[in-house]
């Protein structure tokens, strides 16, 4: 059986430099999935994605910590600052943990973003969340339930295939016990979501310490625990053609990923490693 890999580019719609980078990586045949921040102004290019890249999955990147809500700010007051923009992820998380953020408002905004997405690009092929807010305690099951109610067929799996560069997985977990504990909880949540019919990859690749280059990728693929992969694993990138102020900690890494994953020769290299690039649609064949 071929070893299936989904390379997903996050944050389409964030800004033009991100859109351009993602489109070039999709055109190269490397990126087979992208997810759209439908609340951001640069999502205007989204309608053409399906026609231009019919073999790629187009998902919704639910967003609660960047830009403005789709709903009027007055309908989601616990999610926004006085200027009507979302709180930052750290502020939102702090508010959520302290009970100041309304779960009902979160559900309303997620549904509103879904409806906007459908108007622009049809039904999303999968869902995930910006800055992974759906894996915060108390939100995972809610987001899964909303996704199922809206009949979104698939979601990102946060089960971890950890491949640290300078040590074994066991050593990494020993040195990062909270990382291990969170991973254990997410694995349990994911199994429950699958039993309810949510389609997802077997997990996503975490490769701490590695660079963005061919030798690093080759080593990651060599060390990955492929016998545990029954459907596919997901590798997530955040490319951009230039640095923007809104990128936070992902600045130079975005440029590096753009330069690396826009190269069509990478598909041939991955094929030589026994890896088949697929979209989320590839999960169905299993």
């Amino acid at each position: 059986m071929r070893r299936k890999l989904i390379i997903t580019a996050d944050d389409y719609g964030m800004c033009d430099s991100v859109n351009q980078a993602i489109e070039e990586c999709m055109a190269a045949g490397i990126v087979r999935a992208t997810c759209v921040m439908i609340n951001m102004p640069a999502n205007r290019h989204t309608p053409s994605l399906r026609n231009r890249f019919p073999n790629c999955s187009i998902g919704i990147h639910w967003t609660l910590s960047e830009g403005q809500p789709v709903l009027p700010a007055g309908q989601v007051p616990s999610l926004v600052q006085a200027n009507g923009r979302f709180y930052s992820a750290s502020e939102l998380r702090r508010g959520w943990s302290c009970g100041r953020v309304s779960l009902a408002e979160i559900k309303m905004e997620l549904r509103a973003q879904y409806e906007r997405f459908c108007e622009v690009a049809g039904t999303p092929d999968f869902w995930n969340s910006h800055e992974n807010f759906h894996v915060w305690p108390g939100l995972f099951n809610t987001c899964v339930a909303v996704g199922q109610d809206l009949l979104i067929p698939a979601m990102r799996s946060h089960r971890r295939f950890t491949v640290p560069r300078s040590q074994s997985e066991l050593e990494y977990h020993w040195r990062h016990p909270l990382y291990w504990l969170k991973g254990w909880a997410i694995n349990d949540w994911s199994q429950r979501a699958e039993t309810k019919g949510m389609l997802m990859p077997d997990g996503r690749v975490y490769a701490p310490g590695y660079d963005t280059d061919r030798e690093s990728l080759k080593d990651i693929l060599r060390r990955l625990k492929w016998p545990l992969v029954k459907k596919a694993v997901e590798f997530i990138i955040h490319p951009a053609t230039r640095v923007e102020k809104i990128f936070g900690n992902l600045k130079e890494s975005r440029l590096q990923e753009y330069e690396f994953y826009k190269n069509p020769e990478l598909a041939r290299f991955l094929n030589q490693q026994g890896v088949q690039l697929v979209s989320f649609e590839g999960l169905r064949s299993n």
Side-chain angles (χ1 to χ4, degrees):
M1 180 183 296
R2 297 285 290 177
R3 300 184 294 181
K4 293 183 177 181
L5 176 67
I6 303 171
I7 299 181
T8 303
D10 277 5
D11 298 344
Y12 192 90
M14 175 180 278
C15 58
D16 289 340
S17 63
V18 168
N19 290 1
Q20 180 184 343
I22 292 175
E23 290 174 14
E24 289 187 37
C25 294
M26 293 170 75
I30 309 304
V31 166
R32 296 296 181 89
T34 189
C35 44
V36 181
M37 303 174 75
I38 202 66
N39 70 310
M40 299 292 281
N43 78 73
R44 64 186 181 279
H45 301 293
T46 304
S48 67
L49 284 178
R50 291 194 190 277
N51 291 332
R52 294 171 58 196
F53 307 106
N55 296 323
C56 296
S57 297
I58 312 299
I60 184 169
H61 201 44
W62 273 327
T63 305
L64 297 178
S65 58
E66 190 74 59
Q68 297 176 301
V70 167
L71 290 173
Q75 293 186 27
V76 287
S78 73
L79 304 182
V80 297
Q81 306 171 68
N83 61 6
R85 297 181 65 83
F86 283 130
Y87 289 105
S88 68
S90 59
E91 292 171 322
L92 179 69
R93 183 164 188 165
R94 188 159 50 247
W96 170 252
S97 64
C98 294
R100 296 195 302 268
V101 173
S102 166
L103 182 59
E105 291 176 17
I106 290 177
K107 292 179 180 179
M108 289 169 53
E109 177 61 20
L110 297 185
R111 289 179 176 273
Q113 290 185 19
Y114 168 83
E115 292 170 1
R116 173 73 62 81
F117 185 101
C118 291
E119 293 171 0
V120 170
T123 305
D125 298 319
F126 65 100
W127 69 265
N128 53 47
S129 68
H130 187 54
E131 300 186 278
N132 302 323
F133 68 79
H134 73 278
V135 300
W136 296 352
L139 273 180
F140 186 89
N141 291 333
T142 293
C143 292
V144 169
V146 172
Q148 289 181 313
D149 288 345
L150 298 174
L151 302 181
I152 305 175
M155 63 174 284
R156 169 168 294 162
S157 172
H158 282 269
R159 286 180 295 214
R160 296 166 173 173
F161 285 80
T162 305
V163 187
R165 180 173 187 173
S166 57
Q167 55 196 303
S168 70
E169 180 182 3
L170 181 60
E171 289 172 324
Y172 188 84
H173 286 161
W174 180 259
R175 296 185 180 188
H176 302 84
L178 291 180
Y179 173 89
W180 176 85
L181 182 61
K182 183 177 180 180
W184 178 85
I186 290 172
N187 184 65
D188 181 61
W189 299 343
S190 299
Q191 287 180 339
R192 296 182 186 184
E194 282 186 314
T195 61
K196 295 178 181 179
M198 183 59 71
L199 188 66
M200 64 180 73
D202 294 286
R204 58 174 292 187
V205 179
Y206 288 81
Y210 278 100
D211 298 320
T212 305
D213 56 49
R214 188 166 295 197
E215 287 304 310
S216 292
L217 182 57
K218 183 177 180 179
D219 197 47
I220 292 168
L221 296 174
R222 178 185 63 82
R223 296 177 58 204
L224 201 71
K225 293 182 177 178
W226 288 105
L228 300 179
V229 179
K230 307 304 181 185
K231 293 172 288 189
V233 289
E234 186 180 13
F235 201 87
I236 300 160
I237 64 173
H238 303 81
T241 59
R242 62 180 182 273
V243 172
E244 307 276 2
K245 291 181 179 179
I246 58 177
F247 286 171
N249 294 328
L250 297 176
K251 291 185 174 68
E252 294 304 321
S253 65
R254 285 186 180 265
L255 302 181
Q256 294 167 0
E257 289 180 343
Y258 164 62
E259 292 295 336
F260 184 66
Y261 289 100
K262 71 174 183 176
N263 184 357
E265 290 298 316
L266 187 57
R268 182 181 304 175
F269 167 77
L270 289 170
N271 185 62
Q272 292 171 347
Q273 308 307 310
V275 173
Q276 177 185 359
L277 292 171
V278 298
S279 67
F280 274 77
E281 185 63 29
L283 301 176
R284 298 180 183 275
S285 62
N286 291 276

